[in-house]
Amino acid sequence: MSTQGRLKSASPAAERFGELLVKVSALLFAVAIPTSVALDNGAAALGLLGFLLLAFSGALSPLPPLRPLGFLLAAEVWHYLLNPGRIFKATDLKLYLLSYFVGFRCALERDFLKKVGYLLGFSTALMVLSQLFEAVTWQNVKHVDFSHLQLHTALIRAKGLLNHPLTTGGVLFTLFFLHLALYRLFKNRLFSIFSALALLGVVLSQSRSYWVGTFVFFAVLFLVSLLKAKYRRFAVVSLVLFGLFAISLFSIPQLRHRFESIGNTTTNGSNTDRLAIWTAYLTAFKRDYTLPDLLLGTGDRAEEIALKEGYEACLKFYPRKVCEGNGYVRRLHNGLSHNIYLKFLSKYGLLGLLAYLYFWGYALFENFRAFWQREKIIYLVFAAGYLGFLAAGFFENNFTDAEVQTAVLFSLGINYALLMRRSD
C-alpha cells in the first residue's frame, strides 16, 4: 500500500480516537475544575493529544474564535520573544488554554454537553459541601482532626477543596452563571440547583470581590431584561434571586460585617493594603516606566519596579513604624497588584491591557448581539457573568489564577459553541 493510502486509511481511526480523547478531557475538566483533584494537567494533556490527532485527520474544524485569543497572546509572546529565558517560568497562559478548546468541542454535541454539565454540577456540589463542612467545623477539609471535630455557629472563610478562598470564589462564581446558562438551555431544574449551590459557595468563600461581581451580575440581568417585554418576568425572577443573595449576606453577622468592610478604607488592613499597592503601581508608571515599558510592559520586573515606590506609598496609609524595614514589602504583598488591569498594564504594557479588554469586549459584543437578535436569555446570562467577573478583576488578579482561568476559558468555549449553534 502506498504512503498516501496508508495515511488515508489511518485518518478515520485518528479522527475517532482524537474525538474520544477530547471527550475524556472534557469529562476530566468537569471533575477537576470545581475540585482541583490534580486532574487538570491530565485533562489538558489528553485534550492536546486529541486535537493533534484531529489535526492529523483533517477534522480539527470547527474551532472557537481565535482572533480574540490571538490578541490576548500577542503581547505576551512579543515580550517573551525578547526574554526567551523567562517564557516557561513566568507565562500566564500555559496548558490552561486547552480548556477553551475542549469546552467548545464538547458543546458542539448537545447530548454530550448535558452529560458534561451533570458531571460538572455534581463536582460543584461536592466542592460546596466541603466548604460547608469547613465553614462550620473550622477545619481544613483536606486535613481533618477528628479528635477536635465540633460544630460552630460562627462561620469562617471556607476554601473547600481548593487552596485559597479567592480561588474558590472565582471558580464558583464562574460555575454559578454557567450552570444558570445550562438551566436555560436544557430547561432542567437540576442545573438550577447546581447554580444555587455554586452561589452558596461564593457566599461561603467570603470573597468580597466576587460578592461585588455577583451584585453586578444581578444588576445587569435585571436592567437589560427590562428592555425586552418578553423577559420582564425573568427580570422579576432575577430581582428575587438578588434579594435572597442579599438576605444571606445581611442575616449572618460574620457575613454582614465582612460585606460592610468593603467600603472601609481606614481600618480594614486588606483594603488599605490594596490602596497602597495601587498607589505604588500608579506612581511607578509615572516615574519609572520608559515609553517602550508603557507600550510593551516590564514583564517579570513589574512587581520589583512597583516596590521601588512602595515605601512612599505605604506612608500614605500607615504610620512610619509600620513601613520601615521590610514592613512596606509585607503591606504591599511583595508587589502583587491585586488588580488584573494593573497587572496587564505593568507586565504586558498598554498593548497587553488593550488586548485583554478586546478579548472580553468581543465576548460581550457577541453575547449581547445574540441576546438582542435571537431573543435568547442564555446569552444575557453569559454576558452578565462576564461583566461580574470583570468587576471582580478590579480587586484581584482573577484571570491569571490558574484554577479560575481554567474555569473561565472552559465556560467561554461552551459559550462560543452555543453561539455557533444557532438553534440554541
Side-chain angles (χ1 to χ4, degrees):
M1 182 184 292
S2 67
T3 301
Q4 185 176 1
R6 285 195 298 269
L7 287 174
K8 186 176 293 186
S9 64
S11 293
E15 180 180 350
R16 289 193 298 272
F17 192 51
E19 287 285 2
L20 176 62
L21 288 178
V22 172
K23 287 184 175 181
V24 172
S25 173
L27 294 172
L28 290 178
F29 271 126
V31 175
I33 286 172
T35 61
S36 188
V37 291
L39 289 176
D40 49 352
N41 288 330
L46 286 177
L48 179 61
L49 180 58
F51 282 115
L52 289 174
L53 289 172
L54 290 173
F56 169 76
S57 62
L60 190 59
S61 295
L63 291 170
L66 298 179
R67 186 172 58 184
L69 192 63
F71 273 90
L72 187 63
L73 290 170
E76 183 170 4
V77 170
W78 171 254
H79 175 79
Y80 287 113
L81 284 175
L82 300 178
N83 301 273
R86 297 174 176 175
I87 184 166
F88 294 109
K89 181 183 74 172
T91 179
D92 288 316
L93 296 162
K94 301 176 186 175
L95 283 176
Y96 314 123
L97 287 175
L98 265 298
S99 64
Y100 177 63
F101 295 93
V102 171
F104 176 86
R105 196 81 180 193
C106 82
L108 292 176
E109 295 181 26
R110 185 183 176 94
D111 290 340
F112 184 68
L113 174 60
K114 194 172 186 179
K115 294 175 183 177
V116 170
Y118 282 145
L119 185 57
L120 186 64
F122 288 118
S123 300
T124 301
L126 177 63
M127 172 60 181
V128 177
L129 287 174
S130 73
Q131 278 184 279
L132 191 59
F133 174 85
E134 193 168 283
V136 299
T137 63
W138 298 7
Q139 295 214 31
N140 186 333
V141 71
K142 298 178 183 178
H143 306 285
V144 179
D145 181 359
F146 289 99
S147 63
H148 293 87
L149 189 63
Q150 57 182 315
L151 299 179
H152 301 270
T153 55
L155 302 179
I156 64 167
R157 292 189 73 183
K159 61 183 182 297
L161 295 169
L162 298 177
N163 295 321
H164 195 281
L166 287 173
T167 301
T168 298
V171 169
L172 290 177
F173 174 77
T174 304
L175 296 179
F176 156 63
F177 69 79
L178 175 59
H179 287 309
L180 186 57
L182 293 178
Y183 165 66
R184 295 299 305 180
L185 176 65
F186 295 113
K187 304 297 189 295
N188 187 315
R189 291 183 179 178
L190 192 56
F191 287 109
S192 68
I193 295 173
F194 294 149
S195 181
L197 286 172
L199 183 57
L200 174 62
V202 173
V203 173
L204 292 174
S205 74
Q206 298 190 36
S207 300
R208 297 175 301 170
S209 54
Y210 292 106
W211 288 358
V212 172
T214 304
F215 276 101
V216 170
F217 171 82
F218 281 120
V220 172
L221 210 60
F222 173 72
L223 293 173
V224 178
S225 296
L226 287 177
L227 297 178
K228 280 188 175 290
K230 179 180 178 181
Y231 288 114
R232 283 174 187 165
R233 180 182 174 186
F234 188 79
V236 174
V237 172
S238 66
L239 189 62
V240 171
L241 292 174
F242 168 77
L244 293 174
F245 172 68
I247 289 171
S248 70
L249 294 184
F250 287 99
S251 61
I252 301 174
Q254 295 91 345
L255 301 182
R256 185 178 70 251
H257 293 154
R258 185 155 179 81
F259 178 79
E260 291 171 347
S261 72
I262 292 176
N264 183 349
T265 58
T266 54
T267 60
N268 185 278
S270 179
N271 293 350
T272 49
D273 284 355
R274 280 166 169 74
L275 291 174
I277 292 167
W278 300 338
T279 299
Y281 269 89
L282 294 173
T283 303
F285 293 146
K286 296 176 183 177
R287 295 180 180 175
D288 306 312
Y289 278 53
T290 64
L291 182 59
D293 289 340
L294 288 172
L295 289 176
L296 299 175
T298 56
D300 303 335
R301 297 184 297 117
E303 295 176 356
E304 176 187 341
I305 294 172
L307 284 176
K308 289 181 180 179
E309 309 296 341
Y311 180 71
E312 182 180 324
C314 182
L315 290 176
K316 293 182 179 180
F317 302 94
Y318 292 101
R320 186 176 298 275
K321 64 180 181 180
V322 173
C323 303
E324 288 177 344
N326 285 326
Y328 76 93
V329 178
R330 290 192 296 271
R331 295 264 54 113
L332 270 68
H333 300 194
N334 294 307
L336 189 68
S337 65
H338 281 289
N339 182 302
I340 194 65
Y341 308 101
L342 286 180
K343 178 170 184 176
F344 268 87
L345 182 59
S346 61
K347 194 170 184 179
Y348 304 119
L350 182 60
L351 295 180
L353 176 60
L354 291 175
Y356 182 70
L357 295 176
Y358 175 78
F359 176 82
W360 285 112
Y362 183 92
L364 289 170
F365 175 78
E366 290 296 326
N367 279 284
F368 276 121
R369 182 172 66 173
F371 167 69
W372 201 256
Q373 293 179 353
R374 303 187 207 175
E375 296 191 336
K376 298 284 187 179
I377 199 71
I378 184 176
Y379 302 116
L380 178 58
V381 171
F382 276 116
Y386 299 149
L387 286 171
F389 184 80
L390 290 170
F394 281 103
F395 312 101
E396 301 300 336
N397 296 336
N398 54 359
F399 185 73
T400 52
D401 185 321
E403 291 88 350
V404 176
Q405 188 180 99
T406 303
V408 168
L409 291 176
F410 189 73
S411 301
L412 197 59
I414 291 173
N415 181 194
Y416 280 132
L418 296 177
L419 284 165
M420 180 178 292
R421 283 169 36 186
R422 299 189 65 87
S423 60
D424 294 318

